[in-house]
Amino acid sequence: MKVPFPTNNPNPKPATAAAYEPKSVLDLRGSPSPVADQKPASILEDHVLISPQLDEWDSLMRDLGLHDDPNPVSKPFPQPDPNLPDFPPANSFDESAQFVAADFGLLPDIQPYTQNPNAIGSLVEVGFDYVDELIRLAECFETNSIQFGQVILARLNQRLRSPSGKPLQRAAFYFKEALQTLLTGSTQNSEIIQTIKAHKTFSSISPIPMFSSFTANQAVLDAMDGSMHVHVVDFDIGLGGHWASFIGELSEKSDTRRPALRISALVPEDYAAQSRLISENLTQFARELNIGFEIDFVPIRTFEYLSFKAIKFLDGEKVAVLLSPAIFRQVGSGFLNDLRRVSPQVVVHVDAEGQMGFGAASYRQAVIDGLELYSTLLESLEAANFNNGGGGGDWMRKIETFVVYPKIVEGVEAAGRRGAAWREALVAAGLRQVGMSQFAEFQAECLLRRVQVRGFHVVKRQAEMMLCWHDRPLVATSAWRF
């Protein structure tokens, strides 16, 4: 899922070493710098976009006895071993680096360097060396060159000591950490409290979570056609905040009948604490709005063996299914063959990962695609920080650590698994894509005017609705039916 990147200057001139400071993949391709857009939102937009989702985060935090904590979070990443030898920097921009640049679409910018041997050292000095080394590390997993991978990792630990610098460099650090977990067999420590706080901040700062929520919710509401008994099978519930806004919408649309919502959420085995918080808060919120509510949590491993037999379906309910790339990484796409028997009114797919990892031809390609996606995401967060006064380094670090980094780890871990891309899998199961409603598009445009950060925009590609940062899609929502 890539959109072509237009080149602002068809005949770029070679940059000097002092001026060439790559900020991200987009920056290297000539994207404009983030500038705050001060256009005020209208009263109508405020009405359309009022959502209890952020209140739901507050409720989760109150239940945990937490409030916004100004104290910075400690870094969970291991620090470099001071006893490691100091590896010298790469001293040549070799053929492999040219391949990496080609994958990023950078050859028009770097060809002057490769054609001038005297300029090669300057190019390496300004930041390309760690990208080349990172790609080499990814390739070690394909060739099973563990010892060589350890050498490269030691070099990267010297080069990328912390998640600092421009978006591309910070994204490279997180990918280095993710590859290191594969190489060493270490596991992530789940910090529920910090994760909840980071997701709350992400939802309040970036339009990405709200865009995903609004478009998916509207696709489900449109398909329900006024039904008051809705059953949603959610394959990626996260922390459940998006369902608060859906419950609010059901309440607004109710007449003399009492609406009822049932959610069947597929969750990992170690999701007991999160499941309890989600259930208690959504149940309380639905009770306050007089909405019938029930939620069941189905372990993913149980679903993997039983498919949709692990989920309870009732007569008289209209069913919707919400998918994300995560479920294809976890159980593959075989369950789609059983989907027709469920007779869903709609299948909604929300892709915030650019198909990174699962279905990728190699670890190398997964890392290249992921660097492009997540450096773009980090650049958009920098723009949001600029729009909020530029003093949000602490919350940016929390979002990167507890929202972005876990996604990178999941994508890297899935890179070795071969499988069909989600779009191909849906088509093979007999599903066809249907268009999103005009109201969904209107909501998305209103959301961006509220955010007031120039650079975000909504694109409709065929029947798919995408939130882009300049020319790079960050989220794509699509609706499917049999």
Side-chain angles (χ1 to χ4, degrees):
M1 186 188 70
K2 291 189 177 181
V3 173
F5 286 77
T7 303
N8 295 334
N9 185 359
N11 298 302
K13 297 179 180 180
T16 64
Y20 191 86
E21 186 177 9
K23 179 180 180 182
S24 73
V25 176
L26 287 177
D27 184 50
L28 290 166
R29 286 177 171 171
S31 296
S33 300
V35 179
D37 185 354
Q38 299 301 326
K39 182 177 179 180
S42 67
I43 296 176
L44 174 60
E45 291 164 1
D46 287 339
H47 174 73
V48 170
L49 290 172
I50 288 176
S51 167
Q53 182 170 346
L54 293 180
D55 291 336
E56 182 66 17
W57 290 119
D58 291 331
S59 179
L60 282 168
M61 302 304 289
R62 284 195 300 270
D63 283 354
L64 291 170
L66 295 170
H67 304 283
D68 288 334
D69 184 3
N71 296 326
V73 63
S74 59
K75 301 181 183 69
F77 302 107
Q79 298 300 310
D81 187 346
N83 296 321
L84 282 174
D86 189 8
F87 286 85
N91 56 11
S92 65
F93 191 70
D94 60 11
E95 184 179 3
S96 175
Q98 295 185 39
F99 289 146
V100 174
D103 286 323
F104 280 128
L106 297 172
L107 283 180
D109 292 324
I110 68 168
Q111 281 176 338
Y113 287 97
T114 59
Q115 294 168 359
N116 180 5
N118 295 326
I120 291 176
S122 297
L123 181 61
V124 171
E125 289 176 4
V126 298
F128 266 109
D129 58 329
Y130 63 82
V131 175
D132 186 25
E133 294 281 16
L134 195 62
I135 302 304
R136 289 178 180 272
L137 178 58
E139 291 172 342
C140 288
F141 290 93
E142 297 163 19
T143 60
N144 200 29
S145 304
I146 303 302
Q147 291 184 336
F148 186 47
Q150 293 283 5
V151 173
I152 296 175
L153 180 61
R155 186 196 296 270
L156 283 170
N157 279 331
Q158 295 292 326
R159 181 68 175 85
L160 300 171
R161 294 174 177 267
S162 65
S164 59
K166 302 298 183 182
L168 179 59
Q169 186 171 344
R170 299 203 307 277
F173 170 83
Y174 292 119
F175 272 92
K176 182 262 295 182
E177 293 291 322
L179 290 171
Q180 182 168 272
T181 64
L182 290 184
L183 202 60
T184 62
S186 59
T187 58
Q188 284 183 269
N189 293 324
S190 177
E191 299 187 43
I192 299 175
I193 294 174
Q194 295 294 349
T195 298
I196 291 175
K197 295 177 72 174
H199 275 274
K200 175 189 173 184
T201 305
F202 188 36
S203 296
S204 65
I205 294 297
S206 172
I208 294 173
M210 285 292 186
F211 177 89
S212 303
S213 173
F214 283 138
T215 52
N217 287 356
Q218 194 58 46
V220 174
L221 289 169
D222 291 339
M224 294 300 105
D225 195 24
S227 174
M228 292 291 101
H229 296 277
V230 179
H231 181 192
V232 181
V233 181
D234 191 345
F235 282 85
D236 192 6
I237 195 169
L239 294 171
H242 54 289
W243 288 118
S245 58
F246 187 85
I247 291 172
E249 290 288 344
L250 281 183
S251 177
E252 290 286 336
K253 294 179 179 295
S254 63
D255 43 31
T256 57
R257 299 169 295 170
R258 184 181 185 231
L261 171 65
R262 271 202 326 120
I263 299 174
S264 296
L266 278 81
V267 296
E269 299 287 343
D270 56 348
Y271 220 63
Q274 295 92 324
S275 299
R276 179 181 61 82
L277 289 171
I278 295 169
S279 178
E280 291 177 356
N281 283 276
L282 291 180
T283 299
Q284 178 182 348
F285 186 70
R287 187 182 301 116
E288 292 172 357
L289 295 181
N290 195 32
I291 302 291
F293 180 76
E294 180 182 338
I295 185 168
D296 296 318
F297 296 94
V298 179
I300 290 176
R301 290 295 160 243
T302 301
F303 179 83
E304 189 172 7
Y305 287 108
L306 300 178
S307 189
F308 288 98
K309 294 179 181 178
I311 299 172
K312 179 176 64 177
F313 294 95
L314 302 178
D315 294 336
E317 293 179 328
K318 287 192 174 181
V319 178
V321 176
L322 263 65
L323 300 174
S324 76
I327 191 61
F328 295 100
R329 291 197 301 264
Q330 292 160 343
V331 302
S333 60
F335 71 95
L336 293 176
N337 297 326
D338 301 324
L339 188 56
R340 186 182 292 272
R341 282 176 277 186
V342 176
S343 300
Q345 300 296 118
V346 67
V347 176
V348 181
H349 186 275
V350 180
D351 183 5
E353 303 175 26
Q355 191 55 39
M356 173 203 158
F358 186 76
S362 64
Y363 281 97
R364 177 182 186 275
Q365 192 61 45
V367 169
I368 291 173
D369 293 342
L371 276 176
E372 183 177 14
L373 172 65
Y374 286 104
S375 63
T376 304
L377 173 60
L378 297 184
E379 184 179 292
S380 74
L381 285 175
E382 281 195 351
N385 181 36
F386 177 86
N387 195 52
N388 284 272
D394 180 42
W395 62 254
M396 285 186 64
R397 180 61 55 83
K398 290 181 180 180
I399 292 173
E400 292 178 10
T401 302
F402 297 104
V403 178
V404 177
Y405 176 63
K407 290 292 185 183
I408 291 176
V409 172
E410 291 178 12
V412 168
E413 289 177 344
R417 308 170 197 167
R418 299 296 187 264
W422 64 263
R423 190 183 301 275
E424 298 172 3
L426 293 177
V427 171
L431 288 154
R432 59 181 177 84
Q433 196 169 351
V434 296
M436 305 285 291
S437 68
Q438 289 185 341
F439 187 67
E441 184 176 2
F442 174 66
Q443 279 190 316
E445 294 288 356
C446 290
L447 171 64
L448 297 191
R449 282 192 282 270
R450 284 174 59 92
V451 172
Q452 300 182 24
V453 179
R454 185 177 298 153
F456 287 108
H457 62 101
V458 177
V459 172
K460 288 190 72 175
R461 185 181 66 183
Q462 298 177 348
E464 191 172 42
M465 188 176 297
M466 299 184 295
L467 175 65
C468 298
W469 174 249
H470 298 295
D471 296 303
R472 182 63 166 91
L474 292 175
V475 185
T477 302
S478 55
W480 300 73
R481 295 182 184 177
F482 285 106

